[in-house]
Amino acid sequence: MMMDVHYATFPYLTSLLLCCGVGLLAILLTPAGRTGVIKWISAVFSGLTLVIAIYLYVAYDQSAGGFQFAERVAWIPELGISYFNAADGFGLPMLLLTGIVFFTAVLTMWELEYRVKEFFALIFLLVSGVFGLFMSMDLFFIFVWFDVSLFPMYLLIAIWGSTRKEYGAMKLTLYLLAGSALILPAIIYLVVSASLQTFDLPTLMQADLLTPHQQRLAFLMLYIGFGILAGVFPFHTWSPVGHVAAPTAVSMIHAGVLMKIGAFGVLRVGIFLCPQGWHYWAQLMAVLATCGIIYGALVGLRQTDLKYVIGYSSVSHMGIVGLGLSTLTLDGVNGAVFQMFAHGIMTALFFSSVGHIYDKTHTKAIADLGGLSRTMPRAATFFIIAALTGIGVPCLASFWGELVVFLSCVRVYPVRGALAIGGLVISALFMLRVVQKTCYGPPMERFADLPDVSLAMTAPRMILVSVIVLFGLVPGWLFDMINTATVELFK
Amino acid sequence: MAWANFIPELSMLTAVAVFLAMACLPPHSRRNYWAALVLSGLSVVLSVTHLSSQGVLFNNAYQVDLYSQLFKALLSIGFFLVVFLCRELKGVALHRHSECYLLLSISTLAMMVLVSSVHLLAIYVALELSGYSLYVLVFLRREERWGLNAGFKYFMVGICASAIMLFGLALIYGATGELVLKDLAQLPSPMMTHAMVVAGVLMTLGGFFFKLAVFPFHFWAPDAYEGAPNQVAAFISTASKVAAVAVLVRVVAAFQGMEAILPKGLIIVAIVSMTVGNLAAIGQKDFKRLMAFSSIAHAGYLLLGILCMSFQGYAGSMFYVAAVLVMKLTCFMVMIKVAQDGRNLQIKELAGLHQRSPLLALALMMALFGLAGIPPTIGFAGKLLIFKAAIDKGYLLLVVIAMINVVISLYYYLQVLKAAYLDSAPEDQPVLTLSFPDRMLAILLVGVIVAVGFYPAPLLELVYAAARGLP
């Protein structure tokens, strides 16, 4: 497999990173007391990244395919490491997703008052890691960005979080770092086994550099290592705990984007470099993914905490991504990447509406809430839209991802596919149950005077809703893009 | 010009002479400090400008090459930074300040001689000279119950290690009749695998293991760190480690012919060191004891590079020890600034550091992430080099074990970070104001940790060039 690399005339991808870097510097140089300035700086620079991401998405030449907007500088020549960025049909949807979630998450935190400067600085650091990972074509940098996007999480959750925040933060950090304990040896092993003295991904993708045995070993390590971050069953237990503990914007970025990093890592490093390992372990992947879908749905059914429900639904939905990747078919991979995008937007909306509810009512217990559709109509509306997206209602983005994955899955693994669809039905059940208990029924009197989402604060949520509807109505815009990369992968 | 090759040592010798003279004058804290700062700064400049010296002195016993000069530069930088932190040397009685500087400079001089020595006896003498100064330095602690206990333990383990090493040297000499490393490197291969030589080499390495605090010679470390004055503990955990790695790499590289045997022993020692160090560090409440156990763990990572017995591995360990120097000194700087009266700092006393001094909290965070090996820090670049060298040699499993250790270590580093960033300070704690030079130093150290971590190429080329020059 050999993909074309088209070099850029202007470093668009680096400027995306620079937006984060300059924004971070600007925040650090602003006095901590000027919270308004800090928030505006964050909004402007995160908005800029979104604009660049949209531009790249539109400007990508789908007929040419391959890696575009590439830029490359030798970094550590002694080891064959270069600063090498490029965008393809897998990377661009993820960059777009990151831009959207980043911008809306910054806007959602507009009312934050506690340690504002540090919060936005850490968010910028985290997101620069995420952007870097989605565009990097060098294994060294992929690993560096991976960790850059993880380590601010500890402080973000432990300082600004809620429910058992220190425990959640520590558990999350140790789990994810345990993942990187497998990824780093696997990456070095791949580089050493290929014996080309390069960390360059497109070069390493050439066929027959690696023996089947090497590919199997490396793929397994990468799958588990990145899979922990993607919430693959049974390594998912950090995820609900971490989501519940995290503050709103961090939950949005974390469930919306960071978990995608895990799946993306499996795809970009595991599947690209070790296709034979992928084929070898596909059965295992399918089994674990099915378990994740059903287990997440069943556990979600019994939760009493609103954020736990979403946390477990994420495990379930990320199982669909894993299932798509395990089918070894073109449609399956397309559906999986589509689902990554759709799920990212959906959970961001979910967490941002729950965030508002929690900020005002100071409770996440489902039993304590009720009749929110009357006391907080806007917050409730966003919550319901997110829940419907999660269920997979047609015309909303997730529908297409789930549909394509399940169609290809039933063809390849009929039994597991049927079971997974059963899991999806359960998850629809618990979503509706939560919606019914929180949004309808008699309104709680003590919440009657609480303010709804203000008009200005509906803006970030409206952006998310419109993206969900847009790609629900015109899924082709996303599928065509993803397909350019998938076709090359299966060539 | 033979003398020109000797300039870093001569500058340090000048410092020794000046401090000796000053020890005879009535005590004056400020004057001692500035003299020490100027002299150590001068030696940094001289060692860095003489990186490219080449030569062999004293009947093949003393080699000046890029390898030795690089380490001399590192040693003088370590010495300079420790002296810089001696501004409030509250852990040592005032009338002993000049002695403290004297012993620090003697120890540094001895280490400089050590990294250039290529004759086993010269190595032994230099090692002892640096060791004895350190024993006395630990005793200098103002509170005698700390100093005596720590110094005694350090001394006892030290002389045991020396005795074992001396016995090893005797075995090597008895079996081969050679003591110059270059001649030993050319021994015929049956000789290399001879039981007596192998035993001799392993015992000789024991002496270096003591310096590096590698299992089973690590028992002194927690107590010596805890009992020593903070600045001395900083010196022991940085400069002393640099010298130990330098001599260890030189000796192991000379016995390249033992490639089939030596790594087997070192693998066990490395794994046990990192695991013991990391597990023991988890429960620690005293910051210096935590640093001591993390030093033991880091010694294990350093050995991982050395046991590859390839120049990539040696270069990796050299890079990593330079990284450890910077990161550990940053931790000690934070400790010394927070515990300004020279007491032992408990981890919980770091509470609220982010309010009392955001800069120190940031420095501590970067240093801890560096020690945990998280990119983009200098510590990650070092670990990457070591791990790559190890996987090159097929030690995949060993690297996975080391990475699991990294995750364990992250737990206790995060505990420290939690104290500094999450816990709020007790009401009566004043804001920590740093002087301008201190602030500059903190920014410089953080800058080095991040910048070299992100762009390690220049330092990497330097250590590669140095490691390629080894026999």
Side-chain angles (χ1 to χ4, degrees), chain A residues 134-426:
Chain A
F134 286 142
M135 66 176 72
S136 187
M137 286 294 141
D138 183 277
L139 289 176
F140 168 81
F141 274 96
I142 287 181
F143 185 78
V144 169
W145 295 126
F146 180 74
D147 271 15
V148 168
S149 65
L150 293 187
F151 76 86
M153 286 306 282
Y154 177 76
L155 290 175
L156 280 171
I157 295 179
I159 297 178
W160 291 274
S162 51
T163 329
R164 290 209 293 166
K165 53 186 182 179
E166 282 168 22
Y167 169 75
M170 181 64 86
K171 184 167 185 176
L172 180 144
T173 315
L174 291 186
Y175 259 72
L176 301 189
L177 262 296
S180 72
L182 286 172
I183 296 170
L184 183 63
I187 283 179
I188 302 177
Y189 179 68
L190 283 175
V191 171
V192 168
S193 306
S195 57
L196 283 182
Q197 274 296 325
T198 177
F199 280 71
D200 185 308
L201 197 101
T203 316
L204 290 172
M205 273 164 61
Q206 293 164 36
D208 53 75
L209 273 178
L210 300 163
T211 65
H213 174 75
Q214 288 168 337
Q215 294 195 18
R216 282 176 212 161
L217 179 62
F219 185 84
L220 186 65
M221 290 167 80
L222 290 166
Y223 173 62
I224 296 175
F226 282 116
I228 292 178
L229 183 53
V232 166
F233 178 87
F235 311 110
H236 66 280
T237 54
W238 61 269
S239 144
V241 182
H243 287 156
V244 171
T248 305
V250 176
S251 295
M252 286 171 71
I253 293 182
H254 192 247
V257 183
L258 269 182
M259 286 179 87
K260 310 304 169 292
I261 284 188
F264 189 79
V266 174
L267 178 64
R268 178 70 92 205
V269 186
I271 294 178
F272 271 47
L273 292 186
C274 317
Q276 297 190 45
W278 178 36
H279 284 257
Y280 185 81
W281 293 108
Q283 295 284 338
L284 176 78
M285 289 170 74
V287 171
L288 291 183
T290 314
C291 287
I293 295 172
I294 298 171
Y295 175 86
L298 285 177
V299 178
L301 205 53
R302 298 288 304 160
Q303 295 307 311
T304 53
D305 183 305
L306 208 48
K307 271 191 154 183
Y308 266 112
V309 172
I310 309 173
Y312 279 106
S313 84
S314 278
V315 173
S316 192
H317 284 128
M318 287 305 287
I320 298 176
V321 175
L323 196 62
L325 293 181
S326 74
T327 58
L328 304 174
T329 59
L330 189 118
D331 285 345
V333 175
N334 275 342
V337 179
F338 193 99
Q339 171 70 2
M340 278 159 72
F341 182 87
H343 175 253
I345 304 285
M346 178 200 77
T347 31
L349 182 61
F350 240 142
F351 279 113
S352 82
S353 45
V354 172
H356 178 81
I357 296 171
Y358 175 70
D359 282 346
K360 300 303 172 209
T361 63
H362 300 288
T363 180
K364 289 177 292 190
I366 297 170
D368 292 350
L369 297 163
L372 284 178
S373 60
R374 282 196 228 153
T375 48
M376 296 183 186
R378 293 192 202 119
T381 311
F382 292 126
F383 185 73
I384 295 170
I385 294 177
L388 292 179
T389 318
I391 294 168
V393 169
C395 295
L396 298 175
S398 278
F399 170 73
W400 299 105
E402 292 171 14
L403 182 75
V404 173
V405 167
F406 284 122
L407 281 181
S408 52
C409 179
V410 170
R411 241 176 273 147
V412 185
Y413 312 114
V415 179
R416 272 165 275 188
L419 282 172
I421 292 174
L424 201 66
V425 174
I426 304 174

Side-chain angles (χ1 to χ4, degrees), chain A residues 75-76 78-79 115 140 143-144 147-148 151 154-155 158-159 166 170 174 177 180-181 185 188 192 197 217, chain B residues 354 365 369 374-376 380 384-385 388 391-392 403 407 410-411 418 421-422 454-457 460 464 468:
Chain A
W75 199 256
I76 310 176
E78 290 271 3
L79 298 180
R115 290 168 83 172
F140 168 81
F143 185 78
V144 169
D147 271 15
V148 168
F151 76 86
Y154 177 76
L155 290 175
I159 297 178
E166 282 168 22
M170 181 64 86
L174 291 186
L177 262 296
S180 72
I188 302 177
V192 168
Q197 274 296 325
L217 179 62
Chain B
H354 71 98
M365 176 168 82
F369 279 138
I374 290 175
F380 167 70
L384 178 81
L385 290 182
K388 181 156 187 297
I391 292 181
D392 258 327
M403 280 303 285
V407 178
L410 193 71
Y411 175 75
K418 171 172 132 8
Y421 266 91
L422 267 63
F454 218 76
Y455 188 61
L460 193 102
Y464 264 50
R468 282 203 181 95

